[in-house]
Amino acid sequence: MAVEGRSPTLDTERTGTWTGADARSIAAVVRSREVTARRVVEDHLALIAEQNPRLNAIVTVAADRALAEADALDRRLARGETAGPLAGVPFTVKDLIATAGVRTTAASKALADNVPVVDAPAVAAMKAAGAILVGKTNTPEFGTSGLTDNEMFGPAVNPLGSPESPRSPGGSSGGEAASIASGMSVLGLGTDFGGSVRWPAHCTGLCSIRPTVGRVSADGQYPGVLVGDHVRANPTTVHGALQTVGPMARNLEDLVLALRVISEPHVAWTDPATVDVDALTITWADGDGTVPVDDDIVDVVRESARRLRAREYRGSALVEGNELFGRLRATQTHADIDALASADRFGAVIRDLLSTAGRAEHREVEGLWAWRTALIHRLLDEMGDVLVLPVASIGAPPLGLDRFGVDDRLLTWQEALASCRTISVTGFPSVVVPVGRTSDGMPLGVQIVARPFHDHVALAVAARL
């Protein structure tokens, strides 16, 4: 890790490029004017040109705009002005999140020419901190799948797989994960409903966080409610109530920095370094209790638990979460999508979703939300300060598959993400860090869950791993 105030070694000594450098080191040399922001951005754009045709991770490259913003930052620094903590750091954004002046399609032909006027608040915060947007990343249409593929752009490819055995980067923030893991961007913003920043991080060896619902503004995500030039989260929908914007990075320090930047100003921030991890009560589970988990993953979770001196989770709430998530999701009418265009402008997955959309009675819906309230309080009673569990039942899957064998059971991607979905329904913060490898060499992460608005606690425990 580069030390503040010293010139970092980075990849410039090895390859002559700033790709692969961490955000803190880039910002330090750009602020000190040892390196121009233009140079850093040019290096990343060159890698995009080289790698993206194979990975299909970035669907809109904002080259001209990025270079203009880099030049403007360099001019301000030359005048003696100050710059933020992400000065000159290239970042990418999932194509579900609004970016002013840069196409945002949600991977849907219905929004093929959509260019927002206003940034999502999280994007605006990144820019205000000095970060420079270099592109928008691939996602399933409206983020409705755990595998990143769509009729508009095609599949994203995991940079850690081989040409002979290509792998998926997961989803729905799979393009974002592939962009960061390959070095094409330094930081990224994804969204997480049922695991969409956690599962791709697990598949590509990254760090990510699903923040506590409410820590980061949910506005600016498609689909949402169009209010003038803004896209507002719809709190009456399951999607609007549970989906969060979350950062992704190659290391935990950069993840903490990005989360602090995009956190809402009115939400208190606590430095993870102040947490006494040894004083925490930590529990662990080998899954959600309903779906089998690959032995390689159980082994790394168990080893992580041993390192943290965690006790085994013995509660009953965890086993209900995935079912509740699925039942709540089934009540959605998807009216926010339906309002955007006629059905024939959407891909087959979305057309099918709209045709089978739930029409639940109010009493049923209210009963499910009441169940959620009771489940949250039971889990808080049972989990201690932190719960450690798998991210998913499998590692990065082969590209093109949508069924995955674990033990003697064939899992859908929804079933494979049961451990993520059961946490999503609570709204609790969850950090993913890489902790091991599968038997065939693909990365494996672990999910570290904390109590609401104790994101700093989850990050502190992650730092121990």
Side-chain angles (χ1 to χ4, degrees):
M1 184 175 81
V3 178
E4 191 74 36
R6 291 170 48 195
S7 297
T9 55
L10 310 177
D11 274 9
T12 51
E13 293 183 358
R14 181 169 55 84
T15 66
T17 176
W18 284 88
T19 56
D22 64 81
R24 292 157 296 109
S25 296
I26 289 174
V29 295
V30 168
R31 282 195 302 265
S32 67
R33 299 181 61 204
E34 295 176 59
V35 175
T36 64
R38 169 173 269 269
R39 164 69 191 280
V40 174
V41 169
E42 285 178 335
D43 285 351
H44 285 81
L45 291 174
L47 189 63
I48 291 170
E50 175 189 329
Q51 294 291 330
N52 199 53
R54 176 176 69 90
L55 301 178
N56 196 32
I58 300 177
V59 296
T60 299
V61 181
D64 292 343
R65 181 177 289 264
L67 290 170
E69 290 179 3
D71 289 341
L73 174 59
D74 288 333
R75 288 193 296 270
R76 292 197 300 274
L77 290 168
R79 292 195 297 267
E81 298 180 24
T82 58
L86 296 178
V89 174
F91 78 111
T92 42
V93 173
K94 185 179 184 178
D95 204 29
L96 294 184
I97 304 173
T99 46
V102 179
R103 184 176 67 153
T104 302
T105 72
S108 179
K109 294 176 182 177
L111 295 176
D113 300 317
N114 177 52
V115 179
V117 176
V118 178
D119 281 319
V123 174
M126 292 287 285
K127 290 181 176 180
I132 297 174
L133 178 69
V134 294
K136 303 298 292 294
T137 54
N138 207 349
T139 177
E141 190 171 10
F142 293 105
T144 53
S145 172
L147 301 168
T148 300
D149 194 1
N150 58 76
E151 294 177 21
M152 190 171 177
F153 299 116
V157 178
N158 192 326
L160 304 185
S162 67
E164 300 77 22
S165 180
R167 300 296 182 106
S168 170
S172 61
S173 305
E176 195 57 54
S179 177
I180 299 166
S182 64
M184 294 189 295
S185 63
V186 181
L187 295 172
L189 297 180
T191 66
D192 191 302
F193 180 45
S196 292
V197 298
R198 289 166 289 166
W199 159 238
H202 166 81
C203 290
T204 57
L206 298 181
C207 300
S208 70
I209 181 169
R210 173 190 165 87
T212 302
V213 170
R215 173 171 289 281
V216 178
S217 173
D219 287 343
Q221 300 179 71
Y222 289 87
V225 180
L226 303 181
V227 182
D229 293 330
H230 296 264
V231 183
R232 303 295 189 187
N234 186 346
T236 69
T237 67
V238 179
H239 174 271
L242 297 183
Q243 182 155 294
T244 67
V245 173
M248 306 176 75
R250 287 189 293 269
N251 63 70
L252 200 60
E253 292 88 350
D254 281 357
L255 186 73
V256 172
L257 178 57
L259 179 64
R260 185 167 189 177
V261 163
I262 66 174
S263 289
E264 289 277 79
H266 64 272
V267 178
W269 176 262
T270 303
D271 187 344
T274 65
V275 176
D276 181 1
V277 174
D278 293 326
L280 299 174
T281 299
I282 303 175
T283 59
W284 74 280
D286 59 6
D288 78 315
T290 67
V291 176
V293 178
D294 187 88
D295 289 343
D296 287 345
I297 295 172
V298 173
D299 287 346
V300 298
V301 172
R302 184 178 287 112
E303 173 59 19
S304 298
R306 186 195 64 77
R307 293 173 61 186
L308 295 169
R309 297 197 295 276
R311 62 175 175 80
E312 192 169 357
Y313 170 83
R314 296 292 187 183
S316 60
L318 195 62
V319 74
E320 299 176 22
N322 184 43
E323 180 189 353
L324 176 56
F325 180 93
R327 289 180 62 180
L328 276 170
R329 191 171 188 267
T331 68
Q332 294 190 113
T333 64
H334 302 290
D336 292 338
I337 294 178
D338 202 19
L340 290 172
S342 59
D344 61 357
R345 296 190 63 194
F346 299 119
V349 171
I350 298 300
R351 291 198 304 272
D352 182 64
L353 197 67
L354 294 175
S355 69
T356 59
R359 295 292 187 270
E361 296 291 334
H362 287 301
R363 184 178 295 274
E364 177 189 352
V365 175
E366 289 172 1
L368 292 173
W369 286 105
W371 180 7
R372 175 181 184 258
T373 299
L375 183 144
I376 285 171
H377 286 279
R378 282 172 46 219
L379 186 57
L380 287 172
D381 288 341
E382 296 169 355
M383 64 178 272
D385 299 303
V386 171
L387 173 64
V388 178
L389 72 165
V391 179
S393 291
I394 58 172
L399 195 66
L401 289 188
D402 61 1
R403 294 291 189 276
F404 316 104
V406 179
D407 296 341
D408 58 351
R409 185 166 164 185
L410 201 60
L411 304 180
T412 64
W413 65 261
Q414 292 98 328
E415 291 170 322
L417 296 185
S419 292
C420 276
R421 286 153 59 100
T422 199
I423 299 305
S424 289
V425 80
T426 68
F428 293 2
S430 177
V431 174
V432 169
V433 288
V435 291
R437 296 273 173 179
T438 63
S439 56
D440 57 358
M442 296 304 290
L444 293 175
V446 67
Q447 189 176 186
I448 302 164
V449 181
R451 301 168 80 84
F453 293 101
H454 283 61
D455 308 55
H456 61 290
V457 173
L459 290 162
V461 172
R464 280 286 181 93
L465 298 176

